[in-house]
């Protein structure tokens, strides 16, 4: 059975335990990269991570872009939203549909 986890600063991810996600607090970039590799090699189908952490691990995450699993999804953290999550969704929709169909306050 596949699993789901969330990586990031403890304050940002602690509440996700109530949703059944395995919370994996990380502090340093090297630790986060090792943990991401470990989770990807295990049965994790979805790995959420805070946008701030995803920003520091761009190169590592890019290595998983062509793989079916795991899906690596940035989520806003407790310390602010960088907009990276919605930017990724927008990019994936454009690839799938061939056009930007996400409308919001920033696209008007």
């Amino acid at each position: 059975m596949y699993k789901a986890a969330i990586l990031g600063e403890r304050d940002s991810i602690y509440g996700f335990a109530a949703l059944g996600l395995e919370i994996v607090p990380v502090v340093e970039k090297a630790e986060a990269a090792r943990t991401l590799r470990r989770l990807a090699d295990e049965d994790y189908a979805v790995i959420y991570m805070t946008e701030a952490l995803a920003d520091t691990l761009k190169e590592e995450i890019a290595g998983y872009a062509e793989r079916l699993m795991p899906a690596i999804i940035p989520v806003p953290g407790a310390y602010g939203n960088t907009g990276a999550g919605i930017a990724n969704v927008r990019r994936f929709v454009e690839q799938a549909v061939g056009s930007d169909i996400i409308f919001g306050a920033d696209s008007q």
Side-chain angles (χ1 to χ4, degrees):
M1 184 165 161
Y2 294 114
K3 302 177 270 185
I6 183 162
L7 275 73
E9 309 80 24
R10 185 167 185 77
D11 294 345
S12 295
I13 66 171
Y14 190 72
F16 286 92
L19 299 175
L21 297 177
E22 178 180 337
I23 60 166
V24 186
V26 291
V27 177
E28 298 175 356
K29 179 181 178 180
E31 173 191 18
R34 282 192 308 273
T35 303
L36 176 60
R37 284 191 297 274
R38 178 181 61 81
L39 294 174
D41 290 340
E42 295 177 8
D43 286 335
Y44 285 85
V46 180
I47 301 172
Y48 297 95
M49 68 174 55
T50 59
E51 290 178 341
L53 182 60
D55 191 46
T56 64
L57 295 177
K58 284 181 184 176
E59 293 176 11
E60 185 78 26
I61 293 170
Y64 297 101
E66 298 299 319
R67 290 177 52 177
L68 182 59
M69 287 190 319
I72 300 173
I73 303 169
V75 295
Y79 305 109
N81 180 352
T82 65
I86 194 65
N88 281 338
V89 170
R90 183 176 300 244
R91 184 171 48 89
F92 293 138
V93 169
E94 280 188 53
Q95 286 177 332
V97 178
S99 177
D100 184 0
I101 61 169
I102 298 176
F103 297 101
D106 61 333
S107 65
Q108 293 178 353

